Every structure is written in C-alpha cells, then in structure tokens.
Amino acid sequence: MTDWLIGLVESLGAPGAGLAIALENLFPPLPSEVILPLAGFTSSRGGMDLLSVLAWTTAGSVLGALALYWVGALLGRERTLALAARIPLLKISDIDKTEAWFLKHGRKTVFFGRMIPIFRSLISIPAGVERMPLVTFTLLTTAGSLIWNTIFVLAGYALGENWSLVETYVGVGTNVVIGLVLLAVLVFVGVRVAERQQGRHASRR
C-alpha cells in the first residue's frame, strides 16, 4: 500500500499528494507520515512547488474530513443511539455524556484532533452527528490540517534523502496513541463488567 501511495505522489505530483492525503483521511491506516515527508523531499529536489504541495495536501485533508463529516450527518443522532443500544456494555448515558462533552469542547477537539494520529480522521464523524456548523468545521479542519501538513512536509524538505526517518519517529507516537486507546477500552470494559456483576449480586439479595 505504501509503494502505491509513493507511486501516486511521484506520478501526479502535488495533486497526487493531495489525493493520497484525502484517502488517508477516509482510511486511517494509510500513512500520512510517509506521504507528507516524501512530498517535502520531492519539493526540495525541484520536483514539486512547496506551496502547491501545502495547498493540495491541505485541500485533500479537508475533502477527506468533509466526506466523513457527512457520514456522521447522515447517520444522525437517532441512528447513533439505536446502534449504541445494540453494543454490549455500552449505555445510552455514555452517548449522552459524550454528546455533552463534544458540544462543550467540540471546536478544540476538531482543531487539535487534526494533529493526532487516527483521531484526525475519526473526529469528523461525531462532528457530523452533532451537526457542527459546516463553515466552523471546515475552517477548524483547514487550520489544524495546514499546521500538521506543514510540519511534516517541511521535515521531509529539510531531511532530504533521510525523509523516511519521519515515519520511524511518528510511528512510535502512533503506537503510543493506539496503546492508550486500547488501555482506555480495557478499563471501560472492566468497569462495566464489574458494574454488571455487582448488579446481579444485589438483585439476588
């Protein structure tokens, strides 16, 4: 998959990098930490204009985020609640708490979430479910994506032939995020199982 993305960037230039980033938003396992530094490296060798790279990759980020936003909007709150009711150990109150938290912190979450691996894609869905104003969502996504993309493109530009080092270091950060998410899920499941067991013991008395 990585080789295909590299080929896309090399054959189409800056628009190819933008398309690759749009796909990365829709399919988080695709590595932006490969695409962006490669685009920066290619730009340093005169293969692409640096400003064009930043413009196209940011446009790709926004388009991918908007696609997921509309997935969330089409899903809607009622369908989300219906799906939640079918998931073991998940309560409707969990969705209500998440909704309340997002309504309070949604703008910061969308902006800073664009700079966190995995979450930069997924955060668009709850934004759509909660129908965050589209202009607000687009502006926050554009700003956060521009910062993220610029850092990685310039890293590739500065590192030159060693641009692939970016993937190595970011991969460590991504693994940390995944580990924290798995830990949070395990804690959540453990707490819910304990609550159910306590409820059963109380009902037998």
Side-chain angles (χ1 to χ4, degrees), residues 7 20 31 56 79 84 150 160 184 186 202 204:
W56 277 103
R79 289 193 181 93
T150 299
L186 290 174
R204 290 174 184 172

Side-chain angles (χ1 to χ4, degrees), residues 2-77:
T2 300
D3 291 339
W4 177 80
L5 290 173
I6 291 174
L8 186 65
V9 174
E10 291 177 343
S11 60
L12 297 181
L19 177 58
I21 292 298
L23 293 173
E24 183 262 346
N25 275 264
L26 297 173
F27 306 101
L30 296 180
S32 66
E33 60 267 23
V34 173
I35 303 165
L36 295 170
L38 171 61
F41 165 62
T42 305
S43 184
S44 72
R45 301 185 66 181
M48 290 187 281
D49 178 69
L50 184 60
L51 291 180
S52 295
V53 170
L54 294 176
W56 277 103
T57 54
T58 300
S61 296
V62 174
L63 288 175
L66 286 173
L68 291 176
Y69 173 94
W70 286 112
V71 168
L74 291 172
L75 182 63
R77 187 174 185 275

